[in-house]
Amino acid sequence: MVPGTVQQLTILLVLVLPGVFYQAVRERLSGVRAAENEPQNRLVRAIAAGALLDGVYAVVAGPWLVELLGPTAPTPFAGVGQHPRLAGLTGLLLVVVVPSAVAWAEGWWVRRRSQARYEPTPTAWDALFHGTGSCFVRMRLKSGLWVGGWLGSRSAVSAYPHPGDLYLQTQYRMGPDGSFVGRVPGSAGTYVKAADIEVLELLRPPAKEEGTDDES
């Protein structure tokens, strides 16, 4: 719902946004917790985090913030109009910087105490192909059939949240043991769904061909 009054906008800024920035940074560093997969649970946590931060702001700088808003003026937020730069800096600090810093500190502390390291790449499929240059790809399908080809600049790999699939620009004939036999004559590529793959392997080209995008 879009805020319709100054009071509603104030509630949104003061109560929700600090928690939203906190949660966004925390999820980036530590991942989404299982209990927060539902949107309503994430909203509740964001509001709770925002309310906690607001309480800290009130204790630390409550009188100064009230003075900045100018509650005794005839119009709401008169103090903001009189000191727009200070108000903007204060809003940026309290809504964005402090919540993000708290989330970063929490993530740092959790990573320091945890034996396992969180990888922000959403899936192993994305991690496998992230930053991968041109290479050969060898796959054994669930049917037992071997499929292989060349992953080059004209190939394509899906990314989260889309279902995993792969387009290889050139297909190769494969031996019963998964060895590459040779190019499929006239091949314009092959498409494979990740759900059909049992084993997938990336193979670097020979040293003399590295740095090129031509598998020949």
Side-chain angles (χ1 to χ4, degrees):
M1 181 179 67
V2 179
T5 65
V6 174
Q7 289 78 9
Q8 292 176 354
L9 179 60
T10 303
I11 293 174
L12 175 65
L13 293 174
V14 174
L15 184 60
V16 178
L17 289 186
V20 169
F21 279 99
Y22 159 81
Q23 183 156 296
V25 175
R26 187 186 63 77
E27 290 179 359
R28 175 62 180 172
L29 297 174
S30 304
V32 180
R33 297 176 182 175
E36 299 173 5
N37 285 332
E38 296 295 331
Q40 59 269 26
N41 293 341
R42 300 174 72 182
L43 178 61
V44 169
R45 180 177 177 85
I47 293 176
L52 179 60
L53 288 169
D54 291 337
V56 174
Y57 297 158
V59 171
V60 174
W64 182 82
L65 291 174
V66 171
E67 182 180 353
L68 177 62
L69 294 176
T72 59
T75 59
F77 306 107
V80 175
Q82 295 173 1
H83 308 283
R85 292 184 176 177
L86 178 60
L89 179 61
T90 302
L92 182 64
L93 180 67
L94 300 184
V95 174
V96 180
V97 177
V98 172
S100 300
V102 171
W104 181 89
E106 179 186 347
W108 174 82
W109 178 253
V110 170
R111 291 197 306 274
R112 183 179 180 182
R113 299 188 60 184
S114 176
Q115 295 182 353
R117 174 177 173 271
Y118 169 70
E119 170 58 51
T121 305
T123 68
W125 177 269
D126 292 81
L128 177 63
F129 291 101
H130 178 71
T132 300
S134 299
C135 62
F136 290 99
V137 179
R138 174 165 55 196
M139 298 165 283
R140 187 178 71 214
L141 305 183
K142 294 179 180 179
S143 63
L145 178 68
W146 285 95
V147 178
W150 177 253
L151 178 70
S153 60
R154 299 191 306 277
S155 302
V157 182
S158 65
Y160 181 85
H162 303 290
D165 58 6
L166 172 66
Y167 165 69
L168 299 176
Q169 65 188 53
T170 306
Q171 184 179 7
Y172 275 65
R173 295 192 304 270
M174 308 295 290
D177 59 349
S179 59
F180 288 83
V181 177
R183 285 193 194 185
V184 174
S187 173
T190 185
Y191 171 84
V192 181
K193 293 182 179 179
D196 297 331
I197 301 173
E198 188 174 52
V199 177
L200 186 150
E201 184 179 6
L202 304 183
L203 302 171
R204 295 295 182 187
K208 65 179 182 179
E209 297 183 13
E210 289 186 359
T212 68
D213 190 49
D214 185 5
E215 72 277 23
S216 59

